[in-house]
């Protein structure tokens, strides 16, 4: 897994609540058997017009000042619905390293940590303030520091954020969960033997 | 971030209170703890892992890259369901990418020694239908699958939840998962459901009450007389949609209804009576504390229809499409307006005046034999509206056989419904079964997201009986007034 220490990048806003994983990566792209190459399909039905090729000029990610964005700012319950990890693969492959929202859906939140994409929950008020600042920025940049658990824009916005310590540790060092768990393999074996 | 994160973990391994009274979740959790560190996630053992073609190829590939075996192939079963055609099974799959995905599952199962119920096996079907019907799903188990509707299995008093592909690989490699212990949220429904009101209406109503993120960070436990009186198949419908309320899982304590359903199923324990004695100890102890509890009256629930683009945007069939102005919350106003636009609905329209042109009866929510019987009871003696294209997709090969033995398929086909092979089908429209842009569907599935059943398609979630009645009339009708023949 790619590690995450400090990341500075352009912020793209998606001013919608309850964005489900069907929107993040529509089902017609789930037939691939690889983990890579999903970025081109990210938000496909919103991002492209009927022909599936022309960018929809009204969609937020197609705005000229968010090209190359790597931090997504959005509203509550982001990533709801289907468990498809393809949603995180698509965000990652498109170039997003962090997603900021007031809250996340459970499975999506877990999936992010498995892929080095950092989901950051801030209060509704802080997210609203970031939306307002992003509106004025051209482009608007944030620095996400996982080591110190701080987000800053260098222009007066600075907030700390929380993340579970074990997840933080694994993200900072890019550690693989399976290898970590297998350090406890004798406990798994003992558990299986005790149950018979 | 206080409670805003999706996890809000409580201490791994802790019971909900100090008195020693434990909830159903506490008991299952404690029985499956392999390792409980001071902080961070616990390692819990997984009893049953269900695998399908869409979320597993990258996980098997990960095993190959790291030269790891499947630790417990005998605790793993696989079937293709999401991406299979529901037309003639003797023909090859037309779409080469879909065919490749299903062939990949076949090859992976062979290479790693995992049992596969392939496309020509009567046991093939939607993972959440075949687990219970073959008796793999049992009370007290931990069950996972790379599919969010794994919550279905909680109907048996198991802890069952959906996982991502990285976690699929983790379970294949270690037969365990890293988990923070979720909090518990009791949803109690007292009294009785009125005639014509089903388990589907109950869960849609509850999601409407708590919202699509109301259960985030929790396992829901459904209690109360109205839940106790449900059959196993109805309980599966309720638990299935727990994820639509944002919950990790939904559960219902096992009781005689559970044991009666399981007795005689092929994969149940040989000493069934001894198993029942152990299962009887699982229900929450008297006085066990839930982190949250809400109480509802069964008699308040009427047949439900979703009008928007998430399952929480739902109302009773005898009401009208809401207006953005009904709420004072700006975010709710915005999402209502956006949903009405996508759904091409006008605020104030009576639900029974909404005309539909497609009907889908199927999915892991409502494609079991009782669902098909409920649809058949409505359809018998009637005919599908000429302007409606209606399809019925059984949840498994066994459900299909059973329905045909009972003659239900004759009722469907005589009434102009399309009777198909088992699979997920138009619940997510990965296979050729999908809505065309602008088509409007009464669907017994679980998600009404934009484009879920086909780009530009519009989905209204309802019970099987309500879907059948809508097919016959070409618009929604209140099933409580139905002319059963």
């Amino acid at each position: 897994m790619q590690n995450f220490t400090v990341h500075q990048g352009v912020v793209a806003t998606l001013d919608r609540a309850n964005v489900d994983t069907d929107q993040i990566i529509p089902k017609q792209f789930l037939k691939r058997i690889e983990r890579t190459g999903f970025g081109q399909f990210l938000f496909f039905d919103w991002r492209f017009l009927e022909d599936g090729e022309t960018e929809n000029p009204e969609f937020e990610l197609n705005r000229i000042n968010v090209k190359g964005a790597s931090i997504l700012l959005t509203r509550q319950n982001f990533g709801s619905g289907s468990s498809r990890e393809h949603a995180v693969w698509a965000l990652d492959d498109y170039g997003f390293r962090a997603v900021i929202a007031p809250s996340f859906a459970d499975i999506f939140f877990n999936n992010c940590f498995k892929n080095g994409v950092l989901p950051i929950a801030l209060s509704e008020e802080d997210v609203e303030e970031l939306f307002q600042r992003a509106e004025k920025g051209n482009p608007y940049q944030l620095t996400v520091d996982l080591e110190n658990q701080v987000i800053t824009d260098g222009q007066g916005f600075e907030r700390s954020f929380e993340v579970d310590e074990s997840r933080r540790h694994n993200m900072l060092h890019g550690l693989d969960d399976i290898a970590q768990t297998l350090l406890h393999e004798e406990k798994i074996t003992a558990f299986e033997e005790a149950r018979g | 971030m206080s409670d805003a994160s999706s996890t809000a973990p409580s201490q791994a391994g802790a019971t909900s209170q100090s008195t020693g009274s434990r909830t159903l979740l506490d008991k299952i959790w404690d029985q499956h703890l392999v390792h409980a560190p001071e902080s961070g996630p616990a390692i819990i053992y997984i009893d049953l892992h269900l695998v399908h073609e869409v979320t597993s190829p990258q996980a098997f590939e990960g095993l190959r890259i790291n030269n790891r075996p499947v630790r417990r192939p005998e605790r793993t079963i696989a079937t293709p369901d999401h991406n299979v055609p529901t037309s003639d099974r003797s023909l090859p799959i037309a779409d080469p990418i879909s065919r490749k995905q299903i062939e990949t599952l076949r090859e992976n199962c062979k290479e790693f020694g995992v049992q596969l119920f392939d496309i020509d096996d009567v046991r093939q079907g939607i993972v959440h239908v075949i687990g219970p019907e073959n008796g793999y799903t049992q009370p007290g188990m931990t069950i996972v699958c790379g599919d969010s509707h794994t919550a279905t299995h909680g109907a048996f008093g198991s802890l069952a939840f959906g996982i991502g592909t990285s976690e699929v690989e983790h379970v294949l490699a270690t037969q365990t998962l890293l988990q923070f212990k979720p909090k518990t949220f009791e949803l109690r429904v007292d009294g009785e459901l009125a005639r014509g009101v089903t388990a589907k209406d109950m869960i849609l109503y509850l999601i409407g009450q708590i919202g699509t993120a109301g259960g985030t960070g929790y396992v829901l436990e459904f209690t109360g007389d109205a839940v106790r009186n449900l059959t196993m198949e109805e309980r599966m419908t309720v638990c299935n949609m727990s994820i639509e309320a944002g919950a990790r899982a939904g559960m219902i304590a096992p009781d005689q209804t559970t044991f009666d359903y399981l007795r005689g199923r092929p994969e149940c324990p040989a000493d069934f009576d001894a198993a029942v004695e152990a299962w009887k100890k699982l229900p929450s102890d008297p006085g066990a504390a839930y982190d949250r509890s809400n109480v509802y009256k069964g008699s308040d629930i009427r047949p439900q229809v979703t009008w928007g683009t998430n399952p929480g945007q739902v109302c009773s069939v005898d009401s009208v499409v809401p207006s953005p102005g009904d709420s004072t919350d700006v975010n709710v106003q915005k999402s209502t307006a956006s949903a009405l636009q996508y759904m091409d609905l006008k605020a104030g329209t009576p639900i029974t005046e909404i005309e539909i042109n497609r009907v889908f009866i199927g999915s892991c929510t409502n494609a079991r034999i009782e669902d098909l019987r409920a649809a058949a009871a409505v359809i018998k003696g009637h005919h599908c509206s000429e302007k409606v294209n209606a399809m019925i997709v059984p949840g498994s090969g066994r459900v299909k056989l059973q329905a045909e033995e009972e003659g239900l398929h004759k009722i469907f086909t005589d009434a102009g419904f399309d009777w198909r092979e088992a699979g997920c089908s138009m619940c997510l429209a990965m296979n050729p079964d999908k809505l065309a842009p602008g088509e409007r569907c009464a669907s017994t599935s679980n998600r009404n997201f934009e484009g879920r059943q086909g780009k530009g398609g519009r989905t209204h979630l309802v019970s099987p009986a309500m879907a059948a009645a809508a097919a016959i009339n070409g618009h929604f009708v209140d099933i409580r007034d139905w002319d059963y023949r």
Side-chain angles (χ1 to χ4, degrees):
Chain A
M1 184 181 81
Q2 61 182 334
N3 71 338
F4 191 115
T5 50
V6 178
H7 176 77
Q8 182 176 33
V10 170
V11 176
T13 56
L14 188 63
D15 191 3
R16 311 179 192 213
N18 299 308
V19 172
D20 57 76
T21 54
D22 273 78
Q23 308 314 317
I24 300 174
I25 182 85
K27 88 290 272 149
Q28 63 267 35
F29 308 114
L30 306 186
K31 298 176 183 179
R32 296 158 60 94
I33 58 172
E34 301 85 18
R35 253 177 199 265
T36 52
F38 288 98
Q40 57 189 312
F41 310 124
L42 179 72
F43 297 119
F44 191 86
D45 290 349
W46 287 346
R47 209 168 119 203
F48 298 100
L49 297 177
E50 289 299 315
D51 64 5
E53 289 173 11
T54 315
E55 285 192 352
N56 175 1
E58 290 179 13
F59 183 57
E60 288 130 302
L61 259 56
N62 291 333
R63 289 181 188 165
I64 194 77
N65 64 347
V66 299
K67 288 293 172 192
S70 58
I71 298 172
L72 184 65
L73 177 67
T74 185
R75 300 291 184 181
Q76 73 267 18
N77 198 29
F78 186 78
S80 59
S82 160
S83 62
R84 57 187 73 165
E85 195 163 319
H86 311 64
V88 181
W89 299 337
L91 286 164
D92 179 31
D93 191 51
Y94 184 88
F96 285 115
R97 297 299 322 276
V99 185
I100 302 171
S103 60
F104 295 90
D106 188 49
I107 304 175
F108 175 83
F109 189 78
N110 274 327
N111 287 342
C112 283
F113 286 102
K114 313 292 183 192
N115 292 279
V117 173
L118 183 62
I120 301 170
L122 294 180
S123 70
E124 296 263 3
E125 296 72 29
D126 286 345
V127 168
E128 179 56 35
E129 181 173 350
L130 281 177
F131 263 96
Q132 289 175 15
R133 285 172 175 253
E135 269 314 301
K136 293 181 203 132
N138 193 26
Y140 181 65
Q141 294 214 357
L142 280 171
T143 302
V144 178
D145 179 349
L146 179 60
E147 182 88 55
N148 297 301
Q149 296 176 232
V150 171
I151 301 179
T152 172
D153 68 356
Q155 301 167 58
F157 184 93
E158 184 174 314
R159 296 289 185 282
S160 62
F161 61 90
E162 288 183 30
V163 55
D164 168 69
E165 181 47 39
S166 62
R167 284 174 160 153
R168 176 173 162 274
H169 180 80
N170 288 358
M171 283 276 262
L172 285 172
H173 301 284
L175 297 178
D176 167 20
D177 274 352
I178 296 176
Q180 298 286 99
T181 296
L182 288 174
L183 296 175
H184 300 283
E185 189 168 9
E186 77 284 2
K187 284 194 174 172
I188 301 173
T189 305
F191 182 92
E192 287 173 331
E193 284 170 356
R195 291 175 117 207
Chain B
M1 74 187 155
S2 69
D3 212 1
S5 132
S6 64
T7 50
S10 60
Q11 198 61 30
T15 52
S16 63
Q17 58 174 16
S18 55
T19 61
S21 297
R22 294 186 301 161
T23 62
L24 170 60
L25 173 70
D26 292 330
K27 294 179 190 185
I28 298 176
W29 183 266
D30 292 348
Q31 285 174 9
H32 291 84
L33 264 184
V34 171
H35 176 60
E38 295 262 316
S39 67
I43 299 178
I44 64 163
Y45 198 75
I46 301 302
D47 294 319
L48 176 64
H49 186 190
L50 305 164
V51 172
H52 64 85
E53 77 278 23
V54 176
T55 58
S56 68
Q58 297 87 352
F60 282 113
E61 182 62 15
L63 293 183
R64 252 190 304 270
I65 290 167
N66 292 289
N67 199 23
R68 290 171 176 144
V70 172
R71 184 179 175 89
R72 288 284 167 239
E74 75 280 11
R75 293 189 174 277
T76 314
I77 56 170
T79 196
D81 58 0
H82 281 62
N83 197 5
V84 295
T86 56
S87 50
D88 188 347
R89 285 283 158 84
S90 62
L91 300 172
I93 298 172
D95 174 4
I97 310 175
S98 295
R99 191 166 65 232
K100 171 84 176 158
Q101 194 171 50
I102 288 158
E103 281 167 3
T104 301
L105 179 68
R106 209 169 278 150
E107 287 159 12
N108 284 331
C109 287
K110 197 171 169 203
E111 179 182 344
F112 288 92
V114 170
Q115 182 167 24
L116 172 71
F117 299 140
D118 210 340
I119 203 159
D120 54 357
D121 191 313
V122 71
R123 294 168 294 181
Q124 181 270 341
I126 306 173
V127 277
H128 311 311
V129 175
I130 70 172
E133 78 181 359
N134 289 294
Y136 286 104
T137 302
Q138 294 163 24
M141 279 185 165
T142 48
I143 302 173
V144 296
C145 172
D147 185 278
S148 60
H149 292 110
T150 309
T152 311
H153 307 264
F156 291 79
S158 62
L159 173 60
F161 52 93
I163 56 179
T165 296
S166 295
E167 292 183 311
V168 169
E169 184 181 340
H170 192 284
V171 177
L172 290 173
T174 70
Q175 204 56 40
T176 67
L177 259 188
L178 296 168
Q179 282 290 298
F180 291 100
K181 189 176 179 187
K183 296 180 290 182
T184 51
F185 188 173
E186 179 192 28
L187 291 174
R188 196 175 96 202
V189 187
D190 288 333
E192 290 184 6
L193 297 178
R195 190 176 155 274
V197 176
T198 68
K200 182 66 165 285
D201 303 303
M202 180 192 283
I203 188 62
L204 284 171
Y205 174 84
L206 292 173
I207 296 165
Q209 295 292 307
I210 69 172
T212 52
T216 304
Y218 293 97
V219 165
L220 307 179
E221 185 178 338
F222 302 96
T223 68
D225 285 345
V227 173
R228 253 329 102 218
N229 290 334
L230 297 175
T231 66
M232 281 320 295
E233 313 215 339
E234 292 168 330
R235 292 180 189 186
M236 286 188 249
T237 299
V238 171
C239 289
N240 172 275
M241 289 189 72
S242 302
I243 181 71
E244 312 314 334
R248 166 120 8 130
M251 342 171 82
I252 295 173
D255 59 13
Q256 198 56 45
T257 303
T258 323
F259 312 143
D260 291 345
Y261 175 94
L262 285 173
R263 188 179 289 275
R265 305 243 167 210
E267 301 299 330
C268 275
D271 190 347
F272 191 79
D273 292 329
V276 167
E277 286 314 303
W279 294 339
K280 281 181 176 168
K281 298 187 180 112
L282 287 167
S284 297
D285 298 325
Y290 297 95
D291 295 294
R292 256 185 95 181
S293 285
N294 284 2
V295 181
Y296 302 93
K297 276 193 223 155
S299 55
D300 284 346
I301 306 174
R302 289 169 280 166
Q304 302 285 299
V305 181
T306 63
W307 51 266
T309 52
N310 71 55
Q313 293 178 321
V314 63
C315 64
S316 301
V317 66
D318 52 4
S319 57
V320 300
V321 174
S323 156
D326 294 350
S327 171
T328 53
D329 182 324
V330 178
N331 282 324
V332 175
Q333 290 174 359
K334 274 201 316 212
S335 45
T336 301
S338 143
L340 294 185
Q341 186 184 12
Y342 181 85
M343 294 296 290
D344 191 28
L345 289 174
K346 283 201 175 59
T349 307
I351 296 294
T352 50
E353 287 180 14
I354 299 174
E355 297 195 350
I356 51 113
N357 39 29
R358 297 290 298 270
V359 165
F360 172 63
I361 297 177
S363 86
C364 58
T365 314
N366 281 126
R368 298 181 180 80
I369 190 68
E370 285 184 9
D371 300 311
L372 302 188
R373 287 179 191 144
V378 170
I379 294 167
K380 196 173 181 189
H382 295 272
H383 199 277
C384 187
S385 162
E386 278 183 6
K387 50 181 196 172
V388 175
N389 168 347
M391 63 196 299
I392 303 184
V393 182
S396 71
R398 284 196 197 280
V399 169
K400 181 164 194 270
L401 262 187
Q402 171 85 29
E404 290 178 354
E405 276 169 24
E406 295 179 18
L408 304 183
H409 68 307
K410 276 291 286 172
I411 295 174
F412 300 145
T413 51
D414 286 352
F417 287 70
D418 192 8
W419 174 240
R420 302 182 74 90
E421 299 288 338
C424 297
S425 179
M426 206 164 69
C427 174
L428 84 164
M430 258 189 95
N431 75 349
D433 309 338
K434 59 184 68 158
L435 298 181
E439 283 191 319
R440 188 180 294 283
C441 182
S443 177
T444 67
S445 56
N446 40 56
R447 288 190 175 132
N448 49 343
F449 297 153
E450 287 183 27
R452 172 79 177 181
Q453 296 192 292
K455 186 172 179 176
R458 300 176 178 124
T459 301
H460 297 270
L461 304 177
V462 289
S463 72
M466 287 280 290
I472 289 157
N473 284 273
H475 58 81
F476 292 110
V477 292
D478 190 335
I479 196 67
R480 292 173 298 181
D481 306 328
W482 191 250
D483 166 28
Y484 286 93
R485 292 181 185 164

